[in-house]
């Protein structure tokens, strides 16, 4: 996919993620909403963790991979299902449109996360680091959700 984010003074102001396999363009502007191919989108309304579809990634760093696998083992019995689907940016887009309830992964970079974090926030979701701190461009361990199950 194609990922573009514009930030100023550490705040992401615009984000674009294009998924060429599905011909889907996710766009958000700070305080302007989130859109898929020009149509306004929202995160899903799932309120219970047991009804949630959660995705994670497979980071190349062995320590980060071990952390993701441990977290997957812990959360799997608590959710409807866990998926490992690929691109962090696409998974963030899917949280924003409600195909996924949440996404988490360790050891990511700003170019993986900046656009998607804004798209989720503008779609009504929540994005933090693994400890619940507000997303910043320096965030490497991410938790993103529809906002209802975030705690």
């Amino acid at each position: 996919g194609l990922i573009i984010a514009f930030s100023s003074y550490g705040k992401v102001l615009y984000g674009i993620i294009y998924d060429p396999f599905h011909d889907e363009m996710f766009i958000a502007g700070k305080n302007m909403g989130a859109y898929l191919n020009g149509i306004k989108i929202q995160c899903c309304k799932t309120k219970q963790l047991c009804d949630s579809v959660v995705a994670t990634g497979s980071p190349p760093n062995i320590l980060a991979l071990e952390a993701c696998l441990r977290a997957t083992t812990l959360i799997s019995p608590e959710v409807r299902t866990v998926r490992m689907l690929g691109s962090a940016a696409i998974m963030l887009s899917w949280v924003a449109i409600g195909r996924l309830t949440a996404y988490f992964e360790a050891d990511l970079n700003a170019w993986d996360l900046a656009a998607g974090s804004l798209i989720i926030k503008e779609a009504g979701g929540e994005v933090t680091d693994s400890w619940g701190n507000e997303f910043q461009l320096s965030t490497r361990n991410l938790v993103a959700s529809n906002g209802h199950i975030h705690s």
Side-chain angles (χ1 to χ4, degrees), residues 14-129:
Y14 298 97
I16 300 170
I17 297 173
Y18 177 65
D19 177 356
F21 296 107
H22 297 103
D23 193 27
E24 293 181 328
M25 178 82 72
F26 295 86
I27 298 174
K30 186 149 179 74
N31 301 318
M32 298 168 74
Y35 299 85
L36 168 58
N37 294 341
I39 299 169
K40 193 166 178 102
I41 60 173
Q42 288 186 327
C43 294
C44 69
K45 302 295 184 198
T46 303
K47 296 194 186 305
Q48 302 292 323
L49 193 58
C50 63
D51 297 325
S52 298
V53 178
V54 177
T56 188
S58 178
N61 176 305
I62 190 66
L63 295 176
L65 176 60
E66 288 173 357
C68 281
L69 293 175
R70 277 193 312 274
T72 301
T73 301
L74 290 171
I75 200 168
S76 288
E78 308 299 326
V79 301
R80 189 170 126 210
T81 189
V82 176
R83 304 278 187 236
M84 286 181 124
L85 301 168
S87 164
I90 300 300
M91 295 307 94
L92 294 171
S93 299
W94 284 17
V95 171
I97 197 163
R99 293 176 188 153
L100 296 170
T101 315
Y103 171 76
F104 69 93
E105 190 169 348
D107 202 27
L108 293 164
N109 295 292
W111 53 83
D112 297 314
L113 304 175
S117 69
L118 179 65
I119 293 168
I120 288 175
K121 288 178 189 176
E122 290 296 317
E126 189 170 348
V127 182
T128 64
D129 67 15

